[in-house]
Amino acid sequence: MKHKVSAVLAAGAATAAAAIALGSPPSAVAIPSAPGAPPRGPCALRGISDDVAESAETPAGFSRSSGAVEALTLFIDFPDAHATMSPGDRFAEFFPAATDYFRTSSYGRLTYRPRPLLRWIRMSRPLAAYGIQRGAGFDPASDGGYHALSREVVRAVDPLVDFRDYDVINIIATPNAGPPATRTVLSVTFSGGDMGLRTADGVPFRNASFIWSRQSGLSAFRVLNHENAHSFGLPDLYFTDGRDAPPPAGHWDPMDEDWGPSNDFVGWHKWKLGWLSADQVHCVPHRGTPGEHTLTPVSARGGTKIVVIPTSPHTALVAEARTRGLLDPTVCRPGILIYRVATHVPSGRGPLRIVDATPHSGGCYRDNKYVDPELTDATFRPGDTYTDRTTGAAITVLTENPDGTYRVRVTPARA
């Protein structure tokens, strides 16, 4: 969950071997290679810049998302909810699993280093006195909410830590504080700009994730990966306005479904986070000629990962190969995943939506209640074509190659 708190910017590894792009058709735009660098070029669409969003470039104020990321990790309990376990045991519920997840998903381009202060920090008031509930804000003028909670945490640890040494902050509550995650999910991130709370070290308190209760199902630690990804600039893909609608992305990215079995980030997010080198992204601009591209599955190192087809100044179609892998154990229909990116659509309103190759099928993965099944067979297979009726942009899956790559033919959008 990401909660916006500012009109400016708020609310929320070792270097891998050089990747090899498999072919670059004449219609693709050459972009200088720079592993770990922000997206550049005509397909790096601009959009919302005062909050988390699908805009290709993440504004200043958010945490770095490649290289070494230092994560101050703190533990809190309350007078009416004393911790019943050691902070080390609570820490072990998330690490090293969350670190390993980031390492694998980023192809080694993100080294996530949790730095725990292994002691319970007792808050001064009962939990209810802070008014912590889903949607609670970070209001410096309030005597409750996350600002009041954070102020106490900062005062408690300021003599012990130098906040200048950290990129993100994790505040992990004792799991017996508040409702269980099966009833309501309270975990939230406040990221981006200055939120009105400074530390004794002279830096603003920001890019902070609050982790409550326990997620259910396999790889439950990923709530932390989801929340920290807000500090890296990623938006919520699930609908946060309470609408009764099918999930926009389903289990194809943890910014929609981060519960149940593991799932990997989509290629657009990996590009935005600096986990793809420029030659792993093929850009197909307006007025280009149709061309063929070979896509290596997102789960494998190396190779071309995404083809981006801009359809307007703020929208694009993206194609990538998804097959079963270490972070994608639920993939039951390997193939080409196609989705729409809208960089002007706010977080929680569907800024990224999967195109379903088999609508109303009921899906092919129904083994876990935490996976919405409908989109699990959304991938396009050899012989399938998707055409955007508005712009004429088209993607045809030509072959699934013996080495596990896929060959696609792409027609650019009309100018």
Side-chain angles (χ1 to χ4, degrees):
M1 176 183 178
K2 177 68 169 62
H3 191 80
K4 186 173 180 180
V5 297
S6 168
V8 181
L9 284 175
T15 301
I20 302 173
L22 303 179
S24 180
S27 60
V29 173
I31 306 172
S33 179
R40 292 286 187 269
C43 283
L45 305 182
R46 295 182 178 182
I48 293 171
S49 61
D50 64 348
D51 196 6
V52 292
E54 292 297 352
S55 308
E57 188 171 356
T58 300
F62 291 90
S63 168
R64 75 185 81 184
S65 53
S66 62
V69 169
E70 306 290 334
L72 176 62
T73 304
L74 307 171
F75 305 87
I76 61 172
D77 68 357
F78 298 85
D80 59 335
H82 289 199
T84 59
M85 62 193 304
S86 73
D89 287 343
R90 183 66 163 144
F91 179 77
E93 292 183 359
F94 300 94
F95 300 103
T99 293
D100 293 341
Y101 178 96
F102 276 136
R103 180 186 302 113
T104 301
S105 185
S106 71
Y107 316 110
R109 288 193 170 101
L110 171 57
T111 300
Y112 185 95
R113 297 171 179 162
R115 304 300 191 191
L117 182 62
L118 292 176
R119 51 168 283 193
W120 288 106
I121 303 168
R122 178 70 46 81
M123 298 293 96
S124 66
R125 295 180 283 171
L127 175 60
Y130 296 92
I132 300 299
Q133 55 188 338
R134 191 168 178 81
F138 202 103
D139 183 3
S142 172
D143 191 41
Y146 281 99
H147 184 272
L149 196 68
S150 301
R151 186 173 58 229
E152 287 192 33
V153 172
V154 168
R155 287 175 179 172
V157 303
D158 244 337
L160 306 173
V161 302
D162 189 335
F163 282 89
R164 293 172 295 183
D165 294 337
Y166 303 100
D167 302 291
V168 298
I169 302 167
N170 296 315
I171 298 178
I172 303 177
T174 178
N176 56 309
T182 52
R183 190 191 314 165
T184 183
V185 178
L186 292 181
S187 295
V188 64
T189 297
F190 298 93
S191 56
D194 195 329
M195 298 183 295
L197 177 62
R198 302 192 74 81
T199 70
D201 309 304
V203 296
F205 179 86
R206 65 183 175 190
N207 296 327
S209 296
F210 294 81
I211 309 298
W212 301 90
S213 186
R214 289 188 175 108
Q215 294 280 82
S216 300
L218 300 172
S219 62
F221 64 87
R222 285 178 308 119
V223 63
L224 190 141
N225 297 95
H226 170 106
E227 294 301 337
N228 278 193
H230 286 315
S231 289
F232 299 154
L234 297 189
D236 280 319
L237 299 187
Y238 65 91
F239 293 120
T240 59
D241 56 4
R243 75 179 76 176
D244 183 15
H251 214 66
W252 293 107
D253 191 284
M255 302 315 290
D256 190 340
E257 294 180 359
D258 68 335
W259 47 88
S262 181
N263 52 350
D264 204 355
F265 288 101
V266 296
W268 178 268
H269 283 168
K270 292 179 185 246
W271 188 33
K272 177 178 169 70
L273 295 173
W275 299 349
L276 300 182
S277 57
D279 55 4
Q280 293 181 285
V281 178
H282 285 180
C283 180
V284 183
H286 292 119
R287 295 187 294 275
T289 58
E292 295 185 5
H293 308 255
T294 298
L295 292 172
T296 300
V298 164
S299 58
R301 283 178 179 256
T304 303
K305 288 290 181 274
I306 58 175
V307 177
V308 182
I309 314 168
T311 52
S312 81
H314 300 296
T315 61
L317 283 175
V318 182
E320 65 187 54
R322 293 295 281 266
T323 60
R324 185 169 296 182
L326 181 63
L327 299 185
D328 266 336
T330 67
V331 173
C332 51
R333 179 182 159 96
I336 296 299
L337 189 69
I338 299 173
Y339 48 95
R340 300 175 183 275
V341 171
T343 61
H344 62 305
V345 174
S347 174
R349 300 296 186 270
L352 187 151
R353 301 191 183 208
I354 301 297
V355 176
D356 193 350
T358 59
H360 313 298
S361 68
C364 59
Y365 186 89
R366 305 180 185 90
D367 298 339
N368 192 291
K369 65 180 180 180
Y370 298 107
V371 177
D372 190 292
E374 177 59 36
L375 288 176
T376 56
D377 60 353
T379 48
F380 289 75
R381 299 286 300 155
D384 294 341
T385 295
Y386 174 73
T387 302
D388 180 64
R389 294 181 180 178
T390 302
T391 67
I395 301 165
T396 297
V397 185
L398 299 175
T399 60
E400 179 181 359
N401 302 318
D403 63 356
T405 62
Y406 288 81
R407 195 74 176 169
V408 299
R409 183 172 181 81
V410 174
T411 301
R414 294 186 293 265

